[in-house]
Amino acid sequence: VQLQAFGGGLVQAGGYLRLSCAASGRTFSSYAMAWFRQAPGKEREFVAAISWSGARVYYANSVKGRFTISRDNAKNTVYLQMNSLKPEDTAVYYCAADDGGSSWYDSPQAYNRYDYWGQGTEVTVSS
């Protein structure tokens, strides 16, 4: 599967953005999906993940209550709605796909379980 993330940009603190990740290739609904981010000088970190049907979602504590992950399998797209943005949310955001089956539930936050990655979209939050 090929992934393309877009929707990043520059926004003031307290603002919002919606990221999208469009998938092509194999059946999108066979992948669990996630968003990760990497700030300058820092390691890549988990943001949110969603199961194949969208029934199960997971969030990092740092974004819980502010970010919402969702997917539209008919459009082969996963979204990340980001509200109440903070300067510490500044990072390159990556979408990722996992086709490892039910073992995904054991560690949806583990970046090394995801097989496919998009190119990243940059989010900058000014104070």
Side-chain angles (χ1 to χ4, degrees), residues 6 19-23 28 70-79:
F6 53 95
L19 306 184
S20 301
C21 175
F28 178 67
S70 62
R71 67 189 296 162
D72 185 338
N73 286 343
K75 295 183 178 180
N76 291 353
T77 302
V78 62
Y79 304 97

Side-chain angles (χ1 to χ4, degrees), residues 36-49:
F36 289 79
R37 67 187 182 186
Q38 188 166 18
K42 295 188 177 181
E43 294 186 351
R44 191 168 298 192
E45 66 172 354
F46 170 75
V47 176

Side-chain angles (χ1 to χ4, degrees), residues 51-53 55-56 58 98 101-109 113:
S51 63
W52 303 264
S53 67
R56 297 287 296 271
Y58 302 87
D98 174 81
S102 60
S103 66
W104 175 81
Y105 289 107
D106 296 333
S107 55
Q109 77 285 359
R113 71 166 306 113

Side-chain angles (χ1 to χ4, degrees), residues 55-74:
R56 297 287 296 271
V57 294
Y58 302 87
Y59 295 98
N61 288 336
S62 59
V63 307
K64 201 172 293 184
R66 300 187 298 121
F67 291 10
T68 303
I69 188 171
S70 62
R71 67 189 296 162
D72 185 338
N73 286 343

Side-chain angles (χ1 to χ4, degrees), residues 13 37 39 42 45 62 66 85-91 93 125:
R37 67 187 182 186
K42 295 188 177 181
E45 66 172 354
S62 59
R66 300 187 298 121
L85 282 162
K86 304 175 181 179
E88 51 263 43
D89 295 319
T90 295
Y93 284 71
V125 184

Side-chain angles (χ1 to χ4, degrees), residues 1-6 20-29 31 33 71 75-78 95 97:
V1 66
Q2 292 79 45
L3 303 174
Q4 184 172 8
F6 53 95
S20 301
C21 175
S24 60
R26 275 183 57 190
T27 305
F28 178 67
S29 59
Y31 296 94
M33 300 294 296
R71 67 189 296 162
K75 295 183 178 180
N76 291 353
T77 302
V78 62
C95 58

